[in-house]
Structure formats: C-alpha cells, structure tokens
Amino acid sequence: ASVTIKDNDAGEVEVAAASVGITEGGAAGSVCVVLTGTTGSPTELVNPLAVTVASVLNADAGAVDFFLGASVTIPAGTSLPTDGSHCVAVNGTEDTLLEGDEAFDAMINGTDQSAVVSVGASDTATVTITDNDAGEVEVAAASVGITEGGAAGSVCVLLTGTTGSPTELSNPLAVSVESVLNADAGAGDFSLGASVTIPAGTTLPTDGSHCVAVSGTEDTFLEGDEAFDAMITGTDQSAVVSVGASDSATVTITDNDGAY
C-alpha cells in the first residue's frame, strides 16, 4: 500500500521591501523575497522553491520602460526564515523622453509549491524609475512691445534639454507666468495670461511658439510709456523641468495718448 505523509509545516513568501528605486539606464535594482514558516515552525526548505513575479502597470510606467525578472528560485537546504537575498533583477530602460519619474508594481503571483507555500499579504513592491533626463524653460525674448488698447502681444517660452539630451516631451507641461510690477505700470494697465501648456509629444528644443497673451488696457491718461516684467514662476513638473536664468521678459506698453 502507498502511504502518503501529509506535511504539517507551511510557509509563505512576501516581498522583502515595499519600495525599490532604480534610475533609467542605470544599474539594476532588486526585488527580493522572504520565505517564512507559518505553521509547524519549519526551519529548512527541503526542495527548491520557484517564486514567480509579474509587473502590474499603472498610469506612469509602460511595459517598455523597464525589465523585470520573471522568477527567483530559493535553493533546497535554505534555512527559514530566509534573509531576503533571493531576488529578481529590475532595470529602467534608457530613453530620450522628458517624462519625469515613473512607477509600477512588482507582484509575487505564486510558487511552484502552492500546497505548502502561499503568498503572504505583503506581495507587492512599488518600483520607482527615476528619470535621468531634465530640462529647463526660459523666455524666448527678453523684451516684448505692445500698445495701449492695441493688438495683444505674446510672451513666449522655450523648453530645452539640460541633462540626458531629451528629444521629446512625454507629458503635457504647464508653465506658470506672472507679472512683476515696477515704478511704471500698475496692475490695471495690462492683462497677462497666467500659464501656457506645451503639449505632449513636442520635440525639444521647442520653437518658441508656446506663449501667453499680453495686452495693454485702454485709458485716457497722458502717462507715457510704461513697463513691467512677465516672469516664469515654475512648471507642474518641477522635478525634471526647472526655470532657467532667462526667466523674465520686460513688457513695454506704448501710450496711445498724446498732447494737443
């Protein structure tokens, strides 16, 4: 007769760390697993244990942005609990996109001894890929001229790559602009747009065609020409797009009133 001895020991695998950081195009990181006993206080693994790992995408990283190992084997004879040294490699793919940091999840999805080794609650590590590309925005022209009550002018911005030679903007970039008053113009003398968005897919360096409108307010004052500064104050991707040294354009409003 065949006698089956049912094992009264059991274990579970979990990720060793809930977060892992790597750099696009840089050295590989590791998603490591830990095997612990849960029933019967086992102290040693008798047979090799294969643990499978899969990626779970979110709104950030796509499948082409990384490489993740599919499985790791914990050798027979390994003492329990394991020391977190059994890992799959993870790499960030080099590209020329200005995209910011991205993230995805590396999840344990099973073992080849599921009858005795289950997957624990801590089954997922969030992998953050740091973008190695960076850029900066500056004004396209240091001075802009408009006429009181006349056609609107434009304060335009340029986006260039500064690190990693990016050639394309991956996500829409909002650039904020505000006025800085001086002794000439007051807030009631002009209208200035608050922000401009550079669309996703735009080639770098940009061509200076992304602008906010600026116009001079009509009045009946004999006041002479006035001026104020239009300054870039930031972007919505400040981690990868900074404001450069040429951050301001001086806007001169020509008075359309004269003496008779």
Side-chain angles (χ1 to χ4, degrees), residues 57-94:
L57 303 181
N58 55 30
D60 294 337
V64 298
D65 292 319
F66 60 88
F67 169 81
L68 177 68
S71 67
V72 56
T73 297
I74 303 175
T78 301
S79 298
L80 274 64
T82 60
D83 59 4
S85 63
H86 305 97
C87 313
V88 295
V90 58
N91 297 80
T93 306
E94 180 65 271

Side-chain angles (χ1 to χ4, degrees), residues 159-253:
L159 171 62
T160 57
T162 55
T163 304
S165 301
T167 60
E168 184 179 327
L169 180 65
S170 185
N171 303 299
L173 176 73
V175 181
S176 301
V177 180
E178 67 179 35
S179 60
V180 179
L181 303 181
N182 55 32
D184 294 338
D189 293 321
F190 61 87
S191 172
L192 176 68
S195 68
V196 56
T197 297
I198 303 175
T202 300
T203 300
L204 274 62
T206 59
D207 59 4
S209 64
H210 305 97
C211 312
V212 295
V214 58
S215 56
T217 305
E218 179 65 271
D219 61 32
T220 57
F221 295 116
L222 187 61
E223 56 200 340
D225 297 347
E226 301 169 295
F228 70 95
D229 290 332
M231 177 179 287
I232 300 173
T233 56
T235 77
D236 64 350
Q237 298 179 41
S238 57
V240 289
V241 181
S242 60
V243 179
S246 300
D247 60 352
S248 295
T250 298
V251 181
T252 300
I253 309 167

Side-chain angles (χ1 to χ4, degrees), residues 30-50:
S30 299
V31 176
C32 302
V33 300
V34 175
L35 170 62
T36 57
T38 55
T39 304
S41 303
T43 59
E44 185 179 329
L45 181 65
V46 173
N47 301 302
L49 177 72

